[in-house]
């Protein structure tokens, strides 16, 4: 039974679901930085890059261990500095 207090959209399920198509204007490299005092804690860090080549270079820095407390998560296409879509690397 749907929650009638929350808005929801119904569409004909025999038709494809509606989609929004958007174009990326950059790339975001996501990494996980462990806390200095408690390695079980940490935070995500998002770095915006203008080109895919720049993003891959930054990703490779993490992958090669240039930042000992950081671990690479992925490269994502972005729009307005926010990741959109799935991971591309």
């Amino acid at each position: 039974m749907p929650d009638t207090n929350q808005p929801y959209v119904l569409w004909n399920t025999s038709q494809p679901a509606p989609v929004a198509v958007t174009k990326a204007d950059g790339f975001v490299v996501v990494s996980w930085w462990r806390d200095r005092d408690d390695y079980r804690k940490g935070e995500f860090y998002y770095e915006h890059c203008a080109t895919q080549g720049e993003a891959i270079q930054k990703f490779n820095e993490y992958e090669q261990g240039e930042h000992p407390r950081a671990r690479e998560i992925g490269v994502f296409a972005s729009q307005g500095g926010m990741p959109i879509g799935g991971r591309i690397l």
Side-chain angles (χ1 to χ4, degrees):
M1 178 70 106
D3 181 359
T4 56
N5 295 323
Q6 297 296 319
Y8 58 93
V9 177
L10 295 176
W11 62 81
N12 182 347
T13 56
S14 66
Q15 299 296 318
V19 296
V21 177
T22 187
K23 185 175 180 181
D25 60 10
F27 297 88
V28 172
V29 179
V30 181
S31 57
W32 172 257
W33 284 74
R34 294 184 307 245
D35 190 67
R36 287 186 195 273
D37 300 325
D38 186 352
Y39 283 100
R40 294 172 294 172
K41 295 181 182 177
E43 60 187 340
F44 288 102
Y45 189 68
Y46 301 85
E47 294 175 86
H48 185 266
C49 299
T51 66
Q52 186 175 7
E54 185 182 338
I56 290 170
Q57 181 180 3
K58 181 65 74 175
F59 180 84
N60 288 338
E61 287 178 17
Y62 289 111
E63 197 172 46
Q64 293 167 1
E66 290 193 30
H67 306 283
R69 291 186 348 189
R71 181 174 58 92
E72 73 282 353
I73 300 297
V75 175
F76 299 82
S78 69
Q79 185 176 45
M82 296 298 293
I84 58 173
R87 181 179 151 185
I88 61 171
L89 180 68

